[in-house]
Structures are given as C-alpha cells and as structure tokens.
Amino acid sequence: MSIHSQVATEQDVPEQASTVAFMASYLEGLTLVERLHRLLLDVIKDEFERVGVLEINAVQALLLFNIGDNEVTAGELKSRGYYQGSNVSYNLKKLVDMGYMHHQRSEVDRRSVRVSLTEKGRHVRTIVAKLFATHAEGLMSRGVLDHQGMEDISTSLRRVERYWTEQIRYIY
C-alpha cells in the first residue's frame, strides 16, 4: 500500500465518522419533529378537555387557529402550510357542519369554496392562542428557551423546509 493511499484512507475515516454522526443527528431531529407535532396535538386535546370543548379534535382546533381572520380555500390552507393532512376537505366540512366556519362559493370560480371562522370558531382560536401564549411564557420564565434559542430553532427548521421543498420540486 502506498503512502498516498494510506493518507487518503486516514482522511476518509474522520469524514465518514462525521457523516455517520450527522446522519444520527438528522434521524433524531426527524423523530423529534414528529414527536413534537403529536405532543402538540395532545396538549391541545388536553386543554380542550379541560375547558369542556369536546366536539372538535386537536387537528381541527389547530386548523381554526391557523385560519384566524383570513378567508381561505382548502387549496390555500395547504399552500400556506396551515394544514398538512390529506383530509382537509373532510375537516372543513365537519367544522362548517358544527358551526365553527362559514363557507361561501367563490363568485369567480364556482368550484372553489372560501371559508372563514364564525364566532364559535373564533372562540376556539382564542383558546388555542391563550394556550400558546401560556406556553411561550413558561418556556421563557423557566429558562427552557430564550428568544435567540427560539429564533435559532425556527431558522434551522425553515432551512430544512426549504431543502425538502426543493427536493420535491426538482428531483423526480
């Protein structure tokens, strides 16, 4: 074995170890994102049980929170990142039927339905907003995260989102 091939091999070992370590961290990050989303839904569900709102689920409550004061279509919900599920139409229909949302056919495109929150829907949004405000306060007051820490997390997650979006758009 030549000295040149020994040097190349020795240089590859730290590089391979670095790649393996990165992969382990990446997989842990993916697991955490998924777990955090599920925990968020559980926290919302528990809050709604606590305040006696039992007819809607956490996904629907989060959908109402994200819509807020906007008037949107189902397609816009997905494109704006407010809703990631494949059953957005089902949840919108349920929310309309239960009186949490108004729906109106678009004047321009009769196939399109625009939705907005009713007073009942705004009440749910307020419950979720208060819950999130309490969480933000608790994270800061207990020293779990400060503003910069939250900014760093958000920046990193946006970069991963941008990378994954590019993968969907440009790799077939």
Side-chain angles (χ1 to χ4, degrees), residues 22-101:
F22 182 85
M23 182 63 171
S25 293
Y26 177 66
L27 293 175
E28 181 182 11
L30 293 176
T31 300
L32 283 169
V33 167
E34 184 179 7
R35 190 179 314 146
L36 284 170
H37 179 68
R38 286 190 196 142
L39 277 170
L40 173 64
L41 295 177
D42 286 344
V43 166
I44 292 170
K45 177 182 156 284
D46 288 350
E47 179 68 7
F48 275 71
E49 287 174 358
R50 191 183 70 71
V51 298
V53 177
L54 305 175
E55 67 182 345
I56 67 170
N57 63 40
V59 170
Q60 292 165 339
L62 199 52
L63 184 59
L64 293 171
F65 174 79
N66 285 323
I67 290 171
D69 293 330
N70 299 313
E71 184 178 281
V72 296
T73 65
E76 288 171 334
L77 288 173
K78 289 181 114 177
S79 68
R80 292 180 187 189
Y82 293 165
Y83 191 86
Q84 299 302 319
S86 60
N87 56 356
V88 66
S89 296
Y90 168 81
N91 278 314
L92 288 177
K93 182 179 180 339
K94 292 287 287 183
L95 289 167
V96 168
D97 291 347
M98 292 185 292
Y100 290 94
M101 299 183 84

